[in-house]
Amino acid sequence: MTLIQSPPTTIAHQKHARSVGRKHQALMLMFGVTAIILGGLGGRLAYLQLMQGHQNREMAESNRIRLLPKQPERGKILDRTGKILAGSRLSHSVFLWPLAQKKAEWSQTLARVSQILNIPVADIQKRLEQEGYNSPYRVRIARSISPQKVTALAENIGELDGVQVDAEAVRNYPNGDLAAHVLGYTGELTDDDFKKHPQDNYRLGDVIGQMGIESAREQDLRGEWGGQQVEVDGAGNVVKILGEKQTHAGKDVTLTIDLDLQKAAETALGNRKGAIVAIDPNNGAILAMVSRPAFDPNLFSTRISEKQWERLQSTDHPFVNRALQGYPPASTFKIVTTTAGLESGKFSPDTVLATSASIRVGGIDFGDWNHAGFGPQGFVGALTWSSDTFFYQIGMGVGDQTLIQWTRRFGFGQKTGIELGNEEAAGLVPDDEWKQKEVHESWFLGDTVNMSIGQGFLQCTPLQVAGMFAIAANGGYRVKPHLLKDNEAAQTWREALKLKPETVRILHEGLHGVVNGGTATAAFSGTDLAIAGKSGTAEDFGRESHTWFGAFSPVDKPKIVVVAFGENSGGGGGSFAAPMVRQVLEAYFHPDKAQKKQAEVVAAPRD
């Protein structure tokens, strides 16, 4: 029997066939996994590119591209002849790049910067956090640093990632504290400032006017930011400038102030507490405005500490513009009482009244200032000698309503319209309604008596008093005081009070008599100027009296009104305030002599 065996190749072929099938399965599995992974990656890539591409590009660019903002130069403030009252100077400031380091890495850098600049770490960190650690903008942490600090930072700059020293313009007031209350000062925005200007595109570290013209004309003076967009390397170094936007300097602002006359007024007032105002009575242009005590606005070109700020605030309120605050006007107000008496028709220009040591009203004796009276007097004589008992009778004769009406027509009890309106008091013209509300009493005849000589509840600012003298000077026109030389609307704005020619004549003769033979003769003895004026001494119960003197010149065609005010100065208006007015008037009409005298004062040795 023959056995038939299968060839070996058949068995080998069967084993090979099974191996081949499994290998294909493994390859297919590997291909599948790969496809899934690639598909996932592709999908994610597509998502990142298509769905989040813009956002991711911004994040990448923010790490590579940064903005170097450049602050514009602030516009200059000029006097009426173009002399600089406020300008700019170059200074060094210190900035931080928030993106230069991670949040956790800043501590060591801040500690070193704090040591060099002598600024608390907490203050620097607060400013960095306000801007944000992911901000591409620089953060200013110090302004106007000393050359020594610039050198110290330069020597350590390799260890101070994200710290940069750069030159920029800072505000400069070449005359120090001269006209400080008119000009104001600038400072970096506070949190409150940000809230007040939400739509004005301010940034952290911006400089803004804080008072005076700097604040009132902020939008003109501030200018427009510019800067560079730059590419930086991993170390934060600029490798390429990608683009630049030019800054636009702020507009210059020209004031009506005369620098030389301002200097003369500042010298006249000296260190005494009070104010001096000089205006053109024909159009209301303010030629000089002084308030004391004052401050040096240059102090705010660098950041001051809270202790420095508190120290400045504690010394007799130097930031208060006393030319715009209310005080009882005293006998200067007899200009209004004269006008009310004559314009009411209840008293004729020829009226003569007996004056005496005092008159009794409602059981109270109201005395004359000389405790004797001046005998029979008309309006001119009563103004010349400032007889209180004469004007008591005029006030009672016209009545409280007429006197109050004329007081308001002269501009008292309301703001003048000056550009510094946020800092100006309206003053107070009291009446029966006000007294019942505030004092819980009705208006008495004695209130009218007090008001007739500028006492009682009446409150007027030195600027308002200057406006009153302007009405007497220019023949009966109420002008609008203004500081902007190019403010044509204010320059030409005048309201005619339609005074009778006889009223204007009596005011001129009576006020001229004050200086020539009356209460202020001694103060103006020897002057070659034709001056008309009036003094005032206001009681301030429990403290020294306030003193006033106002004047205009020349009498026939007045060009200037000057009012001087002494806060709790004591003495009398004729002895304390009148010499200051004379000094300013002579500086205006004889500038060469005034400048020579000013130079002598500056050159004089000091103890």
Side-chain angles (χ1 to χ4, degrees):
M1 183 175 181
T2 303
L3 296 176
I4 301 173
Q5 298 178 343
S6 298
T9 53
T10 304
I11 298 172
H13 177 75
Q14 290 175 350
K15 290 180 180 180
H16 178 71
R18 287 193 291 269
S19 299
V20 170
R22 291 175 181 174
K23 190 172 184 179
H24 282 301
Q25 290 176 357
L27 287 172
M28 291 183 66
L29 178 61
M30 184 173 65
F31 286 143
V33 171
T34 302
I36 292 172
I37 293 172
L38 290 175
L41 291 174
R44 178 61 178 168
L45 182 61
Y47 174 77
L48 292 173
Q49 288 182 335
L50 300 177
M51 304 299 294
Q52 289 190 321
H54 180 70
Q55 178 181 344
N56 290 323
R57 280 193 296 273
E58 284 188 344
M59 291 175 66
E61 291 296 304
S62 68
N63 288 317
R64 186 175 63 86
I65 297 174
R66 296 179 186 167
L67 299 175
L68 290 175
K70 186 176 180 182
Q71 185 168 311
E73 183 176 352
R74 198 167 176 84
K76 293 185 286 292
I77 302 177
L78 309 171
D79 90 328
R80 66 189 300 111
T81 63
K83 296 173 184 174
I84 295 178
L85 300 174
S88 300
R89 61 178 174 82
L90 280 180
S91 177
H92 287 92
S93 297
V94 182
F95 299 85
L96 301 182
W97 289 104
L99 282 171
Q101 299 187 62
K102 295 180 180 179
K103 181 177 180 180
E105 298 172 346
W106 271 106
S107 58
Q108 186 174 350
T109 301
L110 298 187
R112 184 67 181 127
V113 171
S114 170
Q115 184 181 20
I116 295 173
L117 298 179
N118 194 26
I119 299 175
V121 172
D123 290 355
I124 303 175
Q125 189 165 357
K126 179 181 178 182
R127 296 182 66 79
L128 190 59
E129 290 175 349
Q130 283 179 322
E131 183 65 46
Y133 287 95
N134 293 321
S135 173
Y137 294 101
R138 299 187 304 174
V139 182
R140 186 196 296 108
I141 60 169
R143 302 166 62 203
S144 298
I145 64 173
S146 67
Q148 293 81 3
K149 291 179 179 179
V150 173
T151 301
L153 287 169
E155 291 174 346
N156 292 269
I157 202 68
E159 303 172 4
L160 301 175
D161 291 342
V163 179
Q164 184 177 3
V165 180
D166 203 355
E168 65 175 354
V170 299
R171 206 56 164 164
N172 181 55
Y173 303 87
N175 301 293
D177 65 357
L178 184 138
H181 295 87
V182 172
L183 301 176
Y185 65 93
T186 62
E188 291 188 17
L189 275 86
T190 64
D191 291 340
D192 289 339
D193 291 328
F194 271 114
K195 295 175 183 177
K196 293 177 184 176
H197 302 276
Q199 307 299 325
D200 293 336
N201 298 319
Y202 283 107
R203 295 179 53 251
L204 187 68
D206 280 3
V207 171
I208 189 171
Q210 298 289 354
M211 66 175 285
I213 288 295
E214 292 279 24
S215 175
R217 308 307 300 177
E218 166 68 15
Q219 293 305 313
D220 289 332
L221 292 166
R222 64 179 292 200
E224 184 179 339
W225 277 80
Q228 294 178 329
Q229 188 178 47
V230 298
E231 182 180 348
V232 298
D233 59 21
N237 300 311
V238 176
V239 296
K240 185 189 297 184
I241 296 176
L242 301 176
E244 183 169 357
K245 178 185 177 183
Q246 292 294 325
T247 60
H248 294 284
K251 298 177 183 177
D252 293 343
V253 173
T254 301
L255 305 184
T256 57
I257 293 291
D258 184 297
L259 177 59
D260 293 331
L261 193 66
Q262 181 75 25
K263 289 180 178 178
E266 303 259 0
T267 300
L269 185 56
N271 292 323
R272 291 166 285 198
K273 190 186 298 184
I276 293 179
V277 177
I279 69 170
D280 184 330
N282 301 299
N283 62 21
I286 297 174
L287 306 175
M289 180 183 285
V290 184
S291 177
R292 282 286 188 269
F295 61 93
D296 185 352
N298 287 302
L299 292 172
F300 300 93
S301 293
T302 58
R303 192 180 310 152
I304 65 172
S305 66
E306 291 185 10
K307 289 183 178 179
Q308 288 175 307
W309 176 253
E310 291 173 0
R311 195 182 310 120
L312 285 170
Q313 292 283 16
S314 65
T315 56
D316 295 322
H317 307 291
F319 294 95
V320 174
N321 189 344
R322 285 166 168 79
L324 304 180
Q325 302 305 305
Y327 307 89
S331 289
T332 63
F333 185 77
K334 290 170 182 175
I335 292 173
V336 176
T337 308
T338 296
T339 303
L342 292 169
E343 292 294 319
S344 68
K346 295 185 178 180
F347 297 92
S348 72
D350 298 326
T351 294
V352 175
L353 300 175
T355 66
S356 57
S358 65
I359 61 173
R360 193 169 185 82
V361 177
I364 301 174
D365 289 326
F366 291 85
D368 216 316
W369 69 268
N370 71 344
H371 309 294
F374 298 89
Q377 291 290 336
F379 278 102
V380 171
L383 283 170
T384 298
W385 294 107
S386 196
S387 171
D388 293 329
T389 54
F390 178 92
F391 288 101
Y392 294 155
Q393 296 174 74
I394 299 298
M396 290 188 293
V398 300
D400 62 297
Q401 294 299 317
T402 298
L403 185 59
I404 289 169
Q405 179 187 18
W406 273 102
T407 303
R408 290 177 175 151
R409 289 193 66 185
F410 267 74
F412 295 122
Q414 57 191 287
K415 293 188 176 184
T416 64
I418 188 175
E419 293 84 349
L420 309 183
N422 290 337
E423 300 162 34
E424 181 185 22
L428 173 63
V429 178
D431 54 18
D432 181 64
E433 181 181 356
W434 175 88
K435 193 182 177 190
Q436 289 195 47
K437 179 181 178 181
E438 299 296 332
V439 187
H440 309 294
E441 289 182 352
S442 297
W443 188 269
F444 300 137
L445 185 58
D447 293 317
T448 304
V449 170
N450 265 332
M451 189 171 175
S452 69
I453 62 165
Q455 293 279 182
F457 301 109
L458 183 65
Q459 297 279 308
C460 309
T461 72
L463 182 60
Q464 289 173 333
V465 172
M468 175 185 70
F469 274 95
I471 292 171
N474 64 31
Y477 293 90
R478 182 175 154 197
V479 295
K480 183 177 181 178
H482 60 279
L483 282 163
L484 295 182
K485 192 170 185 291
D486 58 353
N487 189 347
E488 293 297 332
Q491 287 184 13
T492 57
W493 189 91
R494 303 198 335 164
E495 177 187 354
L497 300 188
K498 299 179 180 179
L499 302 184
K500 300 171 186 175
E502 279 294 285
T503 300
V504 176
R505 179 188 66 79
I506 287 172
L507 288 173
H508 277 226
E509 290 183 7
L511 298 177
H512 186 54
V514 170
V515 176
N516 295 271
T519 56
T521 301
F524 291 91
S525 176
T527 183
D528 62 347
L529 303 177
I531 300 171
K534 185 73 190 76
S535 61
T537 305
E539 295 179 352
D540 189 15
F541 297 104
R543 296 188 290 182
E544 294 281 357
S545 59
H546 303 307
T547 55
W548 296 85
F549 198 88
F552 56 85
S553 184
V555 178
D556 55 344
K557 291 183 178 180
K559 296 180 179 179
I560 184 173
V561 164
V562 181
V563 170
F565 166 74
E567 182 180 310
N568 299 120
S569 61
S575 60
F576 182 87
M580 293 189 280
V581 171
R582 174 177 178 167
Q583 195 170 333
V584 176
L585 288 173
E586 290 181 341
Y588 179 82
F589 289 104
H590 305 301
D592 294 339
K593 292 181 181 179
Q595 289 172 9
K596 181 180 179 181
K597 186 174 182 180
Q598 178 70 23
E600 291 173 352
V601 170
V602 173
R606 300 179 183 273
D607 295 333

